[in-house]
Amino acid sequence: MRYVARLHFWVMFFAFFGYLALGFTLGPKFFAKDILQKIHALADDTIVITATVLGGPAMPGVTATPVCVSGAPRINLDWADNAATTAWDVERDSLPLTTGLTTSAYIDTAVVANTAYSYVVTAYGPMSPGSVVSSTVVATALDCPNILPSATVTIETLGDANVSINRTGITLERRRPKVTGTTNIANAIIEIVVTNPSIHALLTANANGYFSWVPSVRLNSGNHILSVTATDPSDSSRSALDTFVFRTKNDGGGGAGNEEETPGIPSTFDFSVRVNNAGGLLYQGDRLSVTARTKEGAFPAESILEPSLLNVAGEELLRLPDMTANPTRTEFLFEQDIPLTFDPGEYRVRVDALLGHRVVSREASLSVRAWPLVDLGGGRIITYPEIVSLVGWIFYISFLLLLLFLLLFVREYWFYLHSIRHITERHLARLGFLGLGKGVKK
């Protein structure tokens, strides 16, 4: 401490005499100006004290909003913040629901669907009158499982173009463009209509709302209107529509492509497609049986029915024999053996009815399972692909073992030849296998 005090003294001493020396050097005006600046600085320092005088707590303006969260009903209560309020109490149906809230909101989760509830919020504060009660608000909890969002459908891609972002000036080189899209309706019925030529297709979206489709015929060159409608299979009134215009170039494969009507074919002509295999299920190697049947009347004369087997992406995997309709038939049967090499999975059967300048496409779904080759009992089945895979592994491992054996054989044979080349009579004599005789050098 004595050292610090001594240091402080000498610092102040040299600072004071330095200040005086500077003042004598600059003259008396320096002292005057410096002293005035310090006086003004002290005068300009104003201490501001702010105080807020609180009134009584404000009456809450409560709003009650019924909502659904994860399929469960809730009622959200909300009101404005207030500086004069320290806490809020909430009553439901004249009974306490919660007390001591410090935030101006509350979520009531203990509600029953289709039931009305009345709410009152009381605000408390430190100033008189100390508390104030809101007006009563009434809300009815929603029946969440029965409330569905509005249907939506979006065409995502057309050919190589992403039309979900840009829908102006779309011109395609290919005249059989693949259409993909999504909807918020699981397993929705998708109706696709294209003009020039007139194509009408019905298909089903998957459980995620995804769908894809490829026209069965080439589109004419020129302008086209593509419309996609998604309909809830359990509620036909719940549907959504998406449409836009695009153009295809003339690649020399068709004419100008003006829309033409086919005489003698009603615009309402329709038919259905059904897979006759039990439950739409068949195994590799089974015979696929498909029926196309008109909904009213017979198939138009000279119309061509083209059935095909598609994967879930809409790509054609197998073509069934075509048939030409006549005016007396209302039903056609198509049969085709499923190859043993067909991959198990989900597929779609599509039948395209070429009606002159119109095409009507209808689809049905089916499942292909692996062919059960050996039944081990207890529900354990060895399928044809498993047997093929096992045989393949056996062949592969056998080939590797044979290759290893050949390598070892070549190695031993090389050692054998090497030994023959280096064993001489003198070497054998040195090892004691032969005695040194005449003609054997030491």
Side-chain angles (χ1 to χ4, degrees), residues 76-101:
N76 293 340
L77 303 177
D78 191 25
W79 57 91
D81 291 328
N82 178 242
T85 304
T86 57
W88 293 272
D89 290 349
V90 181
E91 291 185 358
R92 187 181 77 180
D93 296 339
S94 302
L95 295 174
L97 180 62
T98 185
T99 59
L101 284 177

Side-chain angles (χ1 to χ4, degrees), residues 68-366:
C68 291
V69 178
S70 300
R74 296 184 178 183
I75 296 180
N76 293 340
L77 303 177
D78 191 25
W79 57 91
D81 291 328
N82 178 242
T85 304
T86 57
W88 293 272
D89 290 349
V90 181
E91 291 185 358
R92 187 181 77 180
D93 296 339
S94 302
L95 295 174
L97 180 62
T98 185
T99 59
L101 284 177
T102 57
T103 57
S104 57
Y106 183 75
I107 300 176
D108 187 7
T109 59
V111 296
V112 179
N114 299 321
T115 303
Y117 300 92
S118 61
Y119 297 91
V120 172
V121 177
T122 302
Y124 296 93
M127 307 301 289
S128 179
S131 64
V132 63
V133 180
S134 71
S135 301
T136 301
V137 294
V138 179
T140 302
L142 301 175
D143 188 4
C144 294
N146 296 326
I147 295 178
L148 296 175
S150 299
T152 61
V153 63
T154 303
I155 302 171
E156 300 272 341
T157 62
L158 177 64
D160 297 329
N162 186 344
V163 298
S164 64
I165 301 175
N166 179 25
R167 296 204 166 189
T168 59
I170 301 297
T171 302
L172 304 179
E173 298 284 348
R174 298 181 179 179
R175 290 166 55 186
R176 288 189 62 193
K178 182 179 179 180
V179 180
T180 67
T182 57
T183 175
N184 62 345
I185 305 174
N187 304 311
I189 299 174
I190 304 298
E191 180 181 9
I192 299 178
V193 177
V194 182
T195 61
N196 191 20
S198 176
I199 302 177
H200 185 272
L202 279 181
L203 54 141
T204 303
N206 64 17
N208 296 327
Y210 172 84
F211 62 89
S212 63
W213 174 77
V214 178
S216 57
V217 297
R218 290 158 53 91
L219 302 179
N220 298 326
S221 60
N223 293 327
H224 308 269
I225 300 176
L226 172 63
S227 300
V228 176
T229 304
T231 304
D232 192 332
S234 59
D235 184 4
S236 60
S237 63
R238 184 169 177 253
S239 62
L241 171 67
D242 190 16
T243 181
F244 73 100
V245 177
F246 66 98
R247 180 178 178 82
T248 53
K249 289 185 178 181
N250 185 0
D251 59 1
N258 294 326
E259 190 71 22
E260 299 181 19
E261 294 296 332
T262 303
I265 300 178
S267 59
T268 58
F269 172 78
D270 198 3
F271 67 97
S272 62
V273 174
R274 184 183 76 251
V275 176
N276 299 322
N277 301 78
L281 174 66
L282 63 159
Y283 292 91
Q284 297 166 323
D286 286 353
R287 177 169 286 268
L288 171 64
S289 176
V290 179
T291 298
R293 178 181 297 173
T294 61
K295 293 187 176 181
E296 184 178 351
F299 282 95
E302 303 303 322
S303 59
I304 301 175
L305 276 66
E306 298 179 345
S308 56
L309 187 62
L310 315 175
N311 59 15
V312 292
E315 301 169 339
E316 184 177 296
L317 303 178
L318 185 65
R319 191 67 178 265
L320 281 68
D322 299 346
M323 290 190 179
T324 302
N326 58 60
T328 61
R329 297 191 62 174
T330 61
E331 181 177 295
F332 283 88
L333 177 65
F334 305 95
E335 292 184 330
Q336 179 74 33
D337 291 333
I338 298 296
L340 288 174
T341 56
F342 223 69
D343 293 332
E346 301 297 321
Y347 296 91
R348 303 188 326 227
V349 176
R350 184 173 75 182
V351 177
D352 299 314
L354 280 61
L355 314 173
H357 298 285
R358 290 177 54 209
V359 179
V360 180
S361 299
R362 297 294 180 262
E363 295 185 358
S365 60
L366 74 151

